[in-house]
Structure formats: structure tokens, C-alpha cells
Amino acid sequence: EFYVLGPLVTDFAPGYDHITSCIGAALAGWHGAAMLCYVTPKEHLGLPDRFIEHGDPVKLLDTGDIEFTRSRGPHISGSGKIAGTLLNHDSPAVGVSWASGGPVVLNGPTATSIVNVEAINDAGVIVGDADGMATRWTDGGIEQQGPVDGAETSTALAIAPNGDAFIFSFVPNIGFSAPQRWRVDGTVED
């Protein structure tokens, strides 16, 4: 079992990623991919048209006063909204979204929460996990969904345009559960 991003089987069809991704996804599924994700046109075509020196995170994204040694992400929505996880070996992971005024820290349920960001949609709704529980951040609010019975942790790995999240739970000695849809109204379905 493995995870694939994309895959774009050709790069000379800008604007038709939905077609080239379908071809690549069909091949990946045929070869046993356990989870398929797609590349949005913004991710594929919306890259900066100026050179950015690699290795200097301040030039890549202004992080204000937040100190970090490495990052996971950033995740970029189709409309260009950005969120990610900043990591520092001396402190817990910090979830951050970037707005015009600079970085905004995504708080967990406690001041020392470990926050991991996995996805953001065009409305700015962000999903991931905080302290091992699937978490959704909306307009400054936070919602959490615990793991399925017998599982230790849960995480939200994807988000739909309407805010529904897709969550997985980790079950010891088994692995990840089947995905569940965590609806905006708080209900969960298999």
C-alpha cells in the first residue's frame, strides 16, 4: 500500500490536470495505491514567477516571530489560501495559516497542543490533528473528532469544498481504518 500525489502523466496540458490526473490515478490504483490525492491547477500552475533562494524560510513565507527549524506543507487551496505546520526540535509542532497580515497560529485545545495541518479549502477551513484527534479549524473556532473504537488516534487528511473532512483512525497492530466522512454538522459516516 502506498500514497500518491497527482500523478500528472504529462506536463504539456496546462489547465487539463483533471484529465491527466485521472489517467495517472487509474494507473496508480491499478498498481495498488491505497490513497490517491490530486494536484490542483493552483499547485501546478500557480508557482511564483520569480526566483526564491532555497533554504531561507523567511523568504519563502514570512513567519513573523514564530521560530522553527523545518516545516511540513505548505498546503495551498485552489484560491491560494495557505496553511502548514512549523516544527522546532525544542517545542511542539505549530499549525499556521497565512493571511495578508502575516501568520496566524492555529490553537489546539491546550496551550501545549501538538498541531499538524493536512489540508485547507477555498473557504479557509483547515483540517489536520491536534493532540492525536482529527481537528477542523473554522473562522477561529476548533472542532475535534475522536478515533473509532479500538483506535489510539485520528487525523483529518483531506477537506471538501463544503467543509466536510475525511478522517482516518490509527488502530494498533492493524494500521489505518477505512476513511470516514466527518460532515460539517458533526456527524460521521463510513
Side-chain angles (χ1 to χ4, degrees):
E1 294 182 8
F2 58 95
Y3 155 88
V4 293
L5 173 64
L8 295 174
V9 294
T10 181
D11 201 30
F12 68 90
Y16 295 93
D17 293 342
H18 60 293
I19 295 172
T20 57
S21 289
C22 285
I23 296 167
L27 290 170
W30 184 56
H31 286 283
M35 183 173 170
L36 301 172
C37 291
Y38 65 95
V39 176
T40 67
K42 182 69 174 180
E43 291 168 321
H44 186 205
L45 302 173
L47 299 175
D49 61 357
R50 60 183 164 76
F51 180 76
I52 298 175
E53 187 72 33
H54 289 276
D56 186 349
V58 174
K59 289 182 182 176
L60 295 173
L61 292 170
D62 175 20
T63 58
D65 295 332
I66 304 168
E67 292 184 22
F68 70 101
T69 55
R70 60 195 196 324
S71 65
R72 271 195 27 226
H75 305 284
I76 305 170
S77 73
S79 64
K81 296 185 184 317
I82 302 172
T85 305
L86 302 180
L87 304 163
N88 189 335
H89 60 277
D90 292 334
S91 58
V94 177
V96 178
S97 66
W98 280 266
S100 59
V104 176
V105 174
L106 302 170
N107 294 316
T110 69
T112 59
S113 289
I114 297 172
V115 174
N116 293 297
V117 171
E118 298 294 345
I120 183 171
N121 69 7
D122 288 346
V125 178
I126 300 167
V127 296
D129 63 82
D131 297 332
M133 289 183 63
T135 306
R136 178 171 36 213
W137 290 269
T138 58
D139 295 329
I142 180 175
E143 305 167 39
Q144 289 195 293
Q145 177 63 43
V148 297
D149 289 340
E152 291 181 348
T153 61
S154 63
T155 188
L157 292 176
I159 186 165
N162 71 346
D164 287 357
F166 299 91
I167 62 175
F168 294 83
S169 295
F170 182 76
V171 182
N173 302 320
I174 295 175
F176 283 102
S177 66
Q180 295 178 300
R181 185 178 196 130
W182 178 22
R183 296 193 172 277
V184 175
D185 65 9
T187 60
V188 176
E189 62 184 45
D190 293 332

